[in-house]
Amino acid sequence: MQIKIYVVGMFSDDVASSVQDAVKAVAGVSNVVANCEKSQVLVDYEDASQEDAIKAAISSCGVDVLG
């Protein structure tokens, strides 16, 4: 599965890198691309039960999840 999550507060490549590392640490996540210019995070993962953990990982980096 893949989800595109729009975010606010990811203003630099350093923050995007932190978001990628945090989301990669979530069990079942196979790929993450955080793009600060587009304010979005693309995540490939195994099943829908992981979405809350993915969003929590993003929020833990000080980035607000819009959807």
CSV table of all heavy atoms in Angstrom, one decimal:
chain,number,residue,atom,x,y,z
A,1,MET,N,0.8,-1.2,0.0
A,1,MET,CA,0.0,0.0,0.0
A,1,MET,C,0.9,1.2,0.0
A,1,MET,O,2.0,1.2,0.5
A,1,MET,CB,-0.9,0.0,1.2
A,1,MET,CG,-1.8,-1.2,1.4
A,1,MET,SD,-2.8,-1.1,2.9
A,1,MET,CE,-4.0,0.1,2.5
A,2,GLN,N,0.3,2.3,-0.5
A,2,GLN,CA,1.0,3.6,-0.5
A,2,GLN,C,0.1,4.7,0.0
A,2,GLN,O,-1.1,4.7,-0.3
A,2,GLN,CB,1.6,4.0,-1.8
A,2,GLN,CG,2.5,5.2,-1.8
A,2,GLN,CD,3.1,5.6,-3.1
A,2,GLN,OE1,2.4,5.9,-4.0
A,2,GLN,NE2,4.4,5.4,-3.2
A,3,ILE,N,0.6,5.6,0.8
A,3,ILE,CA,-0.1,6.7,1.3
A,3,ILE,C,0.7,8.0,1.0
A,3,ILE,O,1.9,8.0,1.2
A,3,ILE,CB,-0.5,6.6,2.8
A,3,ILE,CG1,-1.4,7.7,3.2
A,3,ILE,CG2,0.7,6.6,3.6
A,3,ILE,CD1,-2.0,7.5,4.6
A,4,LYS,N,0.0,9.1,0.6
A,4,LYS,CA,0.6,10.4,0.5
A,4,LYS,C,0.0,11.2,1.6
A,4,LYS,O,-1.2,11.4,1.7
A,4,LYS,CB,0.2,11.0,-0.8
A,4,LYS,CG,0.8,12.4,-1.1
A,4,LYS,CD,0.3,13.0,-2.4
A,4,LYS,CE,0.7,12.2,-3.6
A,4,LYS,NZ,0.3,12.9,-4.8
A,5,ILE,N,0.9,11.7,2.5
A,5,ILE,CA,0.5,12.5,3.7
A,5,ILE,C,1.0,13.9,3.5
A,5,ILE,O,2.2,14.1,3.3
A,5,ILE,CB,1.1,11.9,4.9
A,5,ILE,CG1,0.7,10.4,5.1
A,5,ILE,CG2,0.8,12.7,6.2
A,5,ILE,CD1,1.4,9.7,6.2
A,6,TYR,N,0.1,14.9,3.5
A,6,TYR,CA,0.5,16.3,3.5
A,6,TYR,C,0.8,16.8,4.9
A,6,TYR,O,0.1,16.4,5.8
A,6,TYR,CB,-0.6,17.1,2.8
A,6,TYR,CG,-0.8,16.8,1.3
A,6,TYR,CD1,-1.7,15.8,0.9
A,6,TYR,CD2,0.1,17.4,0.4
A,6,TYR,CE1,-1.8,15.5,-0.5
A,6,TYR,CE2,0.0,17.1,-0.9
A,6,TYR,CZ,-1.0,16.1,-1.4
A,6,TYR,OH,-1.0,15.8,-2.7
A,7,VAL,N,1.8,17.6,4.9
A,7,VAL,CA,2.3,18.1,6.2
A,7,VAL,C,2.6,19.6,6.2
A,7,VAL,O,2.7,20.2,5.2
A,7,VAL,CB,3.6,17.3,6.6
A,7,VAL,CG1,3.4,15.8,6.8
A,7,VAL,CG2,4.7,17.6,5.6
A,8,VAL,N,2.7,20.2,7.4
A,8,VAL,CA,3.1,21.5,7.6
A,8,VAL,C,4.3,21.6,8.6
A,8,VAL,O,4.2,20.9,9.6
A,8,VAL,CB,1.9,22.4,8.2
A,8,VAL,CG1,2.4,23.8,8.5
A,8,VAL,CG2,0.8,22.4,7.2
A,9,GLY,N,5.3,22.3,8.3
A,9,GLY,CA,6.4,22.5,9.2
A,9,GLY,C,7.7,21.8,8.8
A,9,GLY,O,8.7,21.8,9.5
A,10,MET,N,7.6,21.1,7.6
A,10,MET,CA,8.8,20.5,7.1
A,10,MET,C,9.5,21.4,6.1
A,10,MET,O,9.3,21.3,4.9
A,10,MET,CB,8.4,19.1,6.4
A,10,MET,CG,9.6,18.2,6.1
A,10,MET,SD,9.1,16.6,5.6
A,10,MET,CE,8.1,16.9,4.1
A,11,PHE,N,10.3,22.4,6.7
A,11,PHE,CA,10.8,23.5,5.9
A,11,PHE,C,12.2,23.3,5.4
A,11,PHE,O,12.7,24.1,4.6
A,11,PHE,CB,10.8,24.8,6.7
A,11,PHE,CG,9.4,25.1,7.1
A,11,PHE,CD1,9.0,25.2,8.4
A,11,PHE,CD2,8.4,25.4,6.1
A,11,PHE,CE1,7.7,25.5,8.8
A,11,PHE,CE2,7.1,25.8,6.5
A,11,PHE,CZ,6.8,25.8,7.8
A,12,SER,N,12.9,22.2,5.8
A,12,SER,CA,14.3,22.0,5.3
A,12,SER,C,14.5,20.5,5.0
A,12,SER,O,13.8,19.6,5.5
A,12,SER,CB,15.2,22.5,6.4
A,12,SER,OG,15.2,21.6,7.5
A,13,ASP,N,15.6,20.3,4.3
A,13,ASP,CA,16.0,18.9,4.0
A,13,ASP,C,16.4,18.2,5.3
A,13,ASP,O,16.2,16.9,5.4
A,13,ASP,CB,17.2,18.9,3.0
A,13,ASP,CG,16.8,19.3,1.6
A,13,ASP,OD1,15.6,19.2,1.3
A,13,ASP,OD2,17.7,19.8,0.9
A,14,ASP,N,16.9,18.9,6.3
A,14,ASP,CA,17.3,18.2,7.6
A,14,ASP,C,16.0,17.7,8.2
A,14,ASP,O,16.0,16.6,8.8
A,14,ASP,CB,18.0,19.2,8.5
A,14,ASP,CG,19.4,19.5,8.0
A,14,ASP,OD1,20.0,18.7,7.3
A,14,ASP,OD2,19.9,20.6,8.5
A,15,VAL,N,14.9,18.5,8.2
A,15,VAL,CA,13.7,18.0,8.9
A,15,VAL,C,13.1,16.9,8.0
A,15,VAL,O,12.6,15.9,8.6
A,15,VAL,CB,12.7,19.2,9.0
A,15,VAL,CG1,11.3,18.7,9.5
A,15,VAL,CG2,13.2,20.3,9.9
A,16,ALA,N,13.2,17.0,6.7
A,16,ALA,CA,12.7,15.9,5.8
A,16,ALA,C,13.4,14.6,6.1
A,16,ALA,O,12.9,13.5,6.2
A,16,ALA,CB,12.8,16.3,4.4
A,17,SER,N,14.7,14.7,6.3
A,17,SER,CA,15.6,13.5,6.6
A,17,SER,C,15.2,12.9,8.0
A,17,SER,O,15.1,11.7,8.1
A,17,SER,CB,17.0,13.9,6.6
A,17,SER,OG,17.8,12.8,6.9
A,18,SER,N,14.9,13.8,8.9
A,18,SER,CA,14.5,13.3,10.2
A,18,SER,C,13.1,12.5,10.1
A,18,SER,O,12.9,11.5,10.7
A,18,SER,CB,14.3,14.4,11.2
A,18,SER,OG,15.6,15.0,11.5
A,19,VAL,N,12.2,13.1,9.3
A,19,VAL,CA,10.9,12.5,9.1
A,19,VAL,C,11.1,11.1,8.4
A,19,VAL,O,10.5,10.1,8.9
A,19,VAL,CB,10.0,13.4,8.3
A,19,VAL,CG1,8.8,12.6,7.8
A,19,VAL,CG2,9.6,14.6,9.1
A,20,GLN,N,11.9,11.1,7.4
A,20,GLN,CA,12.2,9.8,6.7
A,20,GLN,C,12.7,8.7,7.7
A,20,GLN,O,12.2,7.6,7.7
A,20,GLN,CB,13.2,10.0,5.6
A,20,GLN,CG,12.6,10.6,4.4
A,20,GLN,CD,13.5,10.8,3.2
A,20,GLN,OE1,13.1,11.2,2.2
A,20,GLN,NE2,14.8,10.4,3.3
A,21,ASP,N,13.7,9.1,8.5
A,21,ASP,CA,14.3,8.2,9.5
A,21,ASP,C,13.2,7.7,10.5
A,21,ASP,O,13.2,6.5,10.8
A,21,ASP,CB,15.4,8.8,10.2
A,21,ASP,CG,16.6,9.0,9.3
A,21,ASP,OD1,16.7,8.4,8.2
A,21,ASP,OD2,17.5,9.8,9.7
A,22,ALA,N,12.4,8.6,11.0
A,22,ALA,CA,11.4,8.2,12.0
A,22,ALA,C,10.3,7.3,11.4
A,22,ALA,O,9.9,6.3,12.0
A,22,ALA,CB,10.7,9.5,12.5
A,23,VAL,N,9.9,7.6,10.1
A,23,VAL,CA,8.9,6.7,9.5
A,23,VAL,C,9.5,5.4,9.1
A,23,VAL,O,8.8,4.3,9.2
A,23,VAL,CB,8.2,7.4,8.3
A,23,VAL,CG1,7.3,6.5,7.6
A,23,VAL,CG2,7.5,8.7,8.8
A,24,LYS,N,10.7,5.3,8.7
A,24,LYS,CA,11.4,4.1,8.3
A,24,LYS,C,11.4,3.1,9.5
A,24,LYS,O,11.5,1.9,9.4
A,24,LYS,CB,12.8,4.3,7.8
A,24,LYS,CG,12.8,4.8,6.4
A,24,LYS,CD,14.3,5.0,5.9
A,24,LYS,CE,14.3,5.6,4.5
A,24,LYS,NZ,15.7,6.0,4.2
A,25,ALA,N,11.5,3.7,10.7
A,25,ALA,CA,11.6,2.9,11.9
A,25,ALA,C,10.3,2.2,12.3
A,25,ALA,O,10.2,1.3,13.1
A,25,ALA,CB,12.0,3.8,13.1
A,26,VAL,N,9.2,2.6,11.7
A,26,VAL,CA,7.9,2.0,11.9
A,26,VAL,C,7.8,0.6,11.3
A,26,VAL,O,8.2,0.5,10.1
A,26,VAL,CB,6.7,2.9,11.4
A,26,VAL,CG1,5.4,2.2,11.5
A,26,VAL,CG2,6.7,4.2,12.1
A,27,ALA,N,7.5,-0.4,12.0
A,27,ALA,CA,7.4,-1.8,11.5
A,27,ALA,C,6.5,-1.8,10.3
A,27,ALA,O,5.4,-1.3,10.3
A,27,ALA,CB,6.9,-2.7,12.6
A,28,GLY,N,6.9,-2.5,9.3
A,28,GLY,CA,6.1,-2.7,8.1
A,28,GLY,C,6.3,-1.7,7.0
A,28,GLY,O,5.7,-1.8,5.9
A,29,VAL,N,7.0,-0.6,7.3
A,29,VAL,CA,7.3,0.4,6.3
A,29,VAL,C,8.4,0.0,5.4
A,29,VAL,O,9.5,-0.4,5.9
A,29,VAL,CB,7.6,1.8,6.9
A,29,VAL,CG1,8.0,2.8,5.9
A,29,VAL,CG2,6.3,2.3,7.7
A,30,SER,N,8.2,0.0,4.1
A,30,SER,CA,9.2,-0.5,3.2
A,30,SER,C,10.0,0.7,2.5
A,30,SER,O,11.1,0.5,2.0
A,30,SER,CB,8.6,-1.4,2.1
A,30,SER,OG,7.6,-0.8,1.4
A,31,ASN,N,9.3,1.8,2.3
A,31,ASN,CA,10.0,3.0,1.6
A,31,ASN,C,9.3,4.3,2.1
A,31,ASN,O,8.1,4.3,2.3
A,31,ASN,CB,9.8,2.8,0.1
A,31,ASN,CG,10.7,3.8,-0.6
A,31,ASN,OD1,11.9,4.1,-0.2
A,31,ASN,ND2,10.2,4.4,-1.6
A,32,VAL,N,10.1,5.3,2.2
A,32,VAL,CA,9.6,6.6,2.6
A,32,VAL,C,10.4,7.7,1.8
A,32,VAL,O,11.6,7.6,1.6
A,32,VAL,CB,9.9,7.0,4.1
A,32,VAL,CG1,9.3,8.3,4.5
A,32,VAL,CG2,9.4,5.9,5.0
A,33,VAL,N,9.6,8.7,1.2
A,33,VAL,CA,10.2,9.8,0.6
A,33,VAL,C,9.5,11.0,1.1
A,33,VAL,O,8.3,11.3,0.9
A,33,VAL,CB,10.0,9.7,-1.0
A,33,VAL,CG1,10.6,11.0,-1.6
A,33,VAL,CG2,10.7,8.5,-1.5
A,34,ALA,N,10.3,11.9,1.9
A,34,ALA,CA,9.8,13.1,2.4
A,34,ALA,C,10.3,14.3,1.5
A,34,ALA,O,11.5,14.4,1.3
A,34,ALA,CB,10.2,13.3,3.8
A,35,ASN,N,9.3,15.1,1.0
A,35,ASN,CA,9.7,16.2,0.1
A,35,ASN,C,9.3,17.5,0.8
A,35,ASN,O,8.1,17.8,0.9
A,35,ASN,CB,9.0,16.0,-1.2
A,35,ASN,CG,9.4,17.0,-2.3
A,35,ASN,OD1,9.6,18.2,-2.0
A,35,ASN,ND2,9.6,16.5,-3.5
A,36,CYS,N,10.3,18.3,1.2
A,36,CYS,CA,9.9,19.5,1.9
A,36,CYS,C,9.3,20.6,0.9
A,36,CYS,O,8.5,21.4,1.3
A,36,CYS,CB,11.1,20.1,2.7
A,36,CYS,SG,12.6,20.5,1.7
A,37,GLU,N,9.7,20.6,-0.3
A,37,GLU,CA,9.2,21.5,-1.3
A,37,GLU,C,7.7,21.3,-1.6
A,37,GLU,O,7.0,22.2,-1.8
A,37,GLU,CB,10.0,21.5,-2.6
A,37,GLU,CG,11.4,22.0,-2.5
A,37,GLU,CD,12.2,21.8,-3.7
A,37,GLU,OE1,11.6,21.5,-4.8
A,37,GLU,OE2,13.4,22.0,-3.7
A,38,LYS,N,7.3,20.0,-1.6
A,38,LYS,CA,5.9,19.7,-1.8
A,38,LYS,C,5.1,19.5,-0.5
A,38,LYS,O,3.9,19.3,-0.6
A,38,LYS,CB,5.8,18.4,-2.6
A,38,LYS,CG,6.3,18.5,-4.1
A,38,LYS,CD,6.1,17.2,-4.8
A,38,LYS,CE,6.7,17.4,-6.2
A,38,LYS,NZ,6.4,16.1,-7.0
A,39,SER,N,5.8,19.6,0.6
A,39,SER,CA,5.1,19.4,1.9
A,39,SER,C,4.4,18.1,2.0
A,39,SER,O,3.2,18.1,2.4
A,39,SER,CB,4.2,20.6,2.2
A,39,SER,OG,4.9,21.8,2.3
A,40,GLN,N,5.0,17.0,1.5
A,40,GLN,CA,4.4,15.7,1.5
A,40,GLN,C,5.4,14.6,1.9
A,40,GLN,O,6.5,14.8,1.7
A,40,GLN,CB,3.7,15.5,0.2
A,40,GLN,CG,4.6,15.2,-0.9
A,40,GLN,CD,3.8,15.1,-2.3
A,40,GLN,OE1,2.7,15.5,-2.4
A,40,GLN,NE2,4.5,14.5,-3.2
A,41,VAL,N,4.8,13.5,2.4
A,41,VAL,CA,5.5,12.3,2.7
A,41,VAL,C,4.8,11.2,2.0
A,41,VAL,O,3.7,11.0,2.2
A,41,VAL,CB,5.6,12.1,4.2
A,41,VAL,CG1,6.5,10.9,4.5
A,41,VAL,CG2,6.1,13.3,4.9
A,42,LEU,N,5.6,10.5,1.1
A,42,LEU,CA,5.0,9.3,0.5
A,42,LEU,C,5.6,8.1,1.2
A,42,LEU,O,6.8,7.9,1.4
A,42,LEU,CB,5.5,9.2,-1.0
A,42,LEU,CG,5.0,10.3,-1.9
A,42,LEU,CD1,5.6,10.2,-3.3
A,42,LEU,CD2,3.5,10.2,-2.0
A,43,VAL,N,4.7,7.2,1.6
A,43,VAL,CA,5.1,6.0,2.4
A,43,VAL,C,4.5,4.7,1.8
A,43,VAL,O,3.3,4.6,1.5
A,43,VAL,CB,4.6,6.1,3.8
A,43,VAL,CG1,5.1,5.0,4.7
A,43,VAL,CG2,4.9,7.5,4.4
A,44,ASP,N,5.4,3.7,1.6
A,44,ASP,CA,5.0,2.4,1.2
A,44,ASP,C,5.0,1.5,2.4
A,44,ASP,O,6.0,1.5,3.1
A,44,ASP,CB,5.9,1.8,0.1
A,44,ASP,CG,5.9,2.5,-1.2
A,44,ASP,OD1,4.8,2.9,-1.6
A,44,ASP,OD2,7.0,2.8,-1.8
A,45,TYR,N,3.9,0.9,2.7
A,45,TYR,CA,3.7,0.1,3.9
A,45,TYR,C,2.8,-1.1,3.7
A,45,TYR,O,2.2,-1.3,2.6
A,45,TYR,CB,3.2,1.0,5.0
A,45,TYR,CG,1.8,1.5,4.8
A,45,TYR,CD1,0.7,1.0,5.4
A,45,TYR,CD2,1.7,2.6,3.9
A,45,TYR,CE1,-0.6,1.6,5.1
A,45,TYR,CE2,0.4,3.1,3.6
A,45,TYR,CZ,-0.7,2.6,4.2
A,45,TYR,OH,-1.9,3.1,4.0
A,46,GLU,N,2.8,-2.0,4.7
A,46,GLU,CA,2.1,-3.3,4.5
A,46,GLU,C,0.6,-3.3,4.7
A,46,GLU,O,-0.1,-3.8,3.9
A,46,GLU,CB,2.7,-4.3,5.5
A,46,GLU,CG,4.1,-4.7,5.1
A,46,GLU,CD,4.8,-5.7,6.0
A,46,GLU,OE1,4.1,-6.2,6.9
A,46,GLU,OE2,6.0,-5.9,5.8
A,47,ASP,N,0.1,-2.6,5.8
A,47,ASP,CA,-1.4,-2.6,5.9
A,47,ASP,C,-1.9,-1.4,6.7
A,47,ASP,O,-1.1,-0.7,7.3
A,47,ASP,CB,-1.9,-3.9,6.5
A,47,ASP,CG,-1.7,-4.1,8.0
A,47,ASP,OD1,-2.0,-3.1,8.8
A,47,ASP,OD2,-1.3,-5.1,8.5
A,48,ALA,N,-3.2,-1.1,6.5
A,48,ALA,CA,-3.8,0.1,7.0
A,48,ALA,C,-3.6,0.3,8.5
A,48,ALA,O,-3.7,1.4,9.0
A,48,ALA,CB,-5.2,0.1,6.6
A,49,SER,N,-3.4,-0.8,9.3
A,49,SER,CA,-3.3,-0.6,10.7
A,49,SER,C,-2.0,0.2,11.1
A,49,SER,O,-1.9,0.6,12.3
A,49,SER,CB,-3.3,-2.0,11.4
A,49,SER,OG,-2.1,-2.7,11.1
A,50,GLN,N,-1.1,0.4,10.2
A,50,GLN,CA,0.1,1.1,10.5
A,50,GLN,C,0.0,2.6,10.3
A,50,GLN,O,0.9,3.3,10.6
A,50,GLN,CB,1.2,0.6,9.6
A,50,GLN,CG,1.6,-0.9,9.9
A,50,GLN,CD,2.3,-1.5,8.8
A,50,GLN,OE1,1.9,-1.4,7.6
A,50,GLN,NE2,3.4,-2.2,9.1
A,51,GLU,N,-1.1,3.1,9.7
A,51,GLU,CA,-1.2,4.5,9.4
A,51,GLU,C,-1.1,5.4,10.6
A,51,GLU,O,-0.5,6.5,10.5
A,51,GLU,CB,-2.5,4.8,8.6
A,51,GLU,CG,-2.5,4.3,7.2
A,51,GLU,CD,-3.8,4.6,6.4
A,51,GLU,OE1,-4.5,5.5,6.8
A,51,GLU,OE2,-4.0,3.9,5.4
A,52,ASP,N,-1.7,5.0,11.7
A,52,ASP,CA,-1.6,5.9,12.9
A,52,ASP,C,-0.2,6.0,13.4
A,52,ASP,O,0.3,7.0,13.8
A,52,ASP,CB,-2.5,5.4,14.0
A,52,ASP,CG,-4.0,5.6,13.7
A,52,ASP,OD1,-4.3,6.5,12.9
A,52,ASP,OD2,-4.8,4.9,14.4
A,53,ALA,N,0.6,4.9,13.4
A,53,ALA,CA,2.0,4.8,13.8
A,53,ALA,C,2.8,5.7,12.9
A,53,ALA,O,3.7,6.4,13.3
A,53,ALA,CB,2.5,3.4,13.9
A,54,ILE,N,2.5,5.7,11.6
A,54,ILE,CA,3.2,6.5,10.6
A,54,ILE,C,3.0,8.0,10.9
A,54,ILE,O,4.0,8.7,10.9
A,54,ILE,CB,2.8,6.1,9.2
A,54,ILE,CG1,3.3,4.7,8.8
A,54,ILE,CG2,3.3,7.1,8.1
A,54,ILE,CD1,2.7,4.1,7.6
A,55,LYS,N,1.8,8.3,11.1
A,55,LYS,CA,1.5,9.7,11.4
A,55,LYS,C,2.1,10.2,12.7
A,55,LYS,O,2.5,11.3,12.8
A,55,LYS,CB,-0.1,10.0,11.3
A,55,LYS,CG,-0.6,9.8,9.9
A,55,LYS,CD,-2.1,10.0,9.9
A,55,LYS,CE,-2.6,9.8,8.4
A,55,LYS,NZ,-4.1,9.9,8.4
A,56,ALA,N,2.1,9.3,13.7
A,56,ALA,CA,2.7,9.6,15.0
A,56,ALA,C,4.2,9.9,14.8
A,56,ALA,O,4.8,10.7,15.4
A,56,ALA,CB,2.4,8.5,16.0
A,57,ALA,N,4.8,9.0,14.0
A,57,ALA,CA,6.3,9.2,13.7
A,57,ALA,C,6.6,10.5,13.1
A,57,ALA,O,7.5,11.2,13.4
A,57,ALA,CB,6.8,8.0,12.8
A,58,ILE,N,5.7,11.0,12.2
A,58,ILE,CA,5.9,12.3,11.5
A,58,ILE,C,5.7,13.4,12.5
A,58,ILE,O,6.6,14.3,12.6
A,58,ILE,CB,4.9,12.4,10.3
A,58,ILE,CG1,5.2,11.4,9.2
A,58,ILE,CG2,5.0,13.9,9.8
A,58,ILE,CD1,4.2,11.3,8.1
A,59,SER,N,4.7,13.3,13.3
A,59,SER,CA,4.4,14.3,14.4
A,59,SER,C,5.6,14.4,15.4
A,59,SER,O,5.8,15.5,15.9
A,59,SER,CB,3.1,14.0,15.1
A,59,SER,OG,2.0,14.1,14.2
A,60,SER,N,6.2,13.3,15.7
A,60,SER,CA,7.3,13.3,16.6
A,60,SER,C,8.5,14.1,16.2
A,60,SER,O,9.3,14.5,17.0
A,60,SER,CB,7.7,11.8,16.9
A,60,SER,OG,8.5,11.3,15.9
A,61,CYS,N,8.5,14.5,14.9
A,61,CYS,CA,9.6,15.3,14.4
A,61,CYS,C,9.2,16.8,14.4
A,61,CYS,O,10.0,17.6,13.9
A,61,CYS,CB,9.9,14.9,13.0
A,61,CYS,SG,10.6,13.2,12.9
A,62,GLY,N,8.1,17.1,15.0
A,62,GLY,CA,7.7,18.5,15.1
A,62,GLY,C,7.0,19.0,13.8
A,62,GLY,O,6.8,20.2,13.6
A,63,VAL,N,6.5,18.1,13.0
A,63,VAL,CA,5.8,18.4,11.8
A,63,VAL,C,4.3,18.0,12.0
A,63,VAL,O,4.0,17.0,12.5
A,63,VAL,CB,6.4,17.5,10.6
A,63,VAL,CG1,5.6,17.8,9.3
A,63,VAL,CG2,7.9,17.9,10.5
A,64,ASP,N,3.4,18.9,11.5
A,64,ASP,CA,2.0,18.7,11.7
A,64,ASP,C,1.5,17.9,10.5
A,64,ASP,O,1.8,18.3,9.3
A,64,ASP,CB,1.3,20.1,11.7
A,64,ASP,CG,1.6,20.8,13.0
A,64,ASP,OD1,1.8,20.2,14.1
A,64,ASP,OD2,1.6,22.1,13.0
A,65,VAL,N,0.7,16.9,10.7
A,65,VAL,CA,0.1,16.1,9.7
A,65,VAL,C,-1.3,16.7,9.3
A,65,VAL,O,-2.1,16.9,10.2
A,65,VAL,CB,-0.1,14.6,10.2
A,65,VAL,CG1,-0.8,13.8,9.2
A,65,VAL,CG2,1.3,14.0,10.5
A,66,LEU,N,-1.4,16.9,8.0
A,66,LEU,CA,-2.7,17.4,7.5
A,66,LEU,C,-3.6,16.3,7.0
A,66,LEU,O,-4.8,16.4,7.1
A,66,LEU,CB,-2.5,18.5,6.4
A,66,LEU,CG,-1.7,19.7,6.8
A,66,LEU,CD1,-1.6,20.6,5.6
A,66,LEU,CD2,-2.4,20.5,7.9
A,67,GLY,N,-3.1,15.3,6.5
A,67,GLY,CA,-3.9,14.2,6.0
A,67,GLY,C,-3.1,13.3,5.0
A,67,GLY,O,-2.0,13.5,4.8
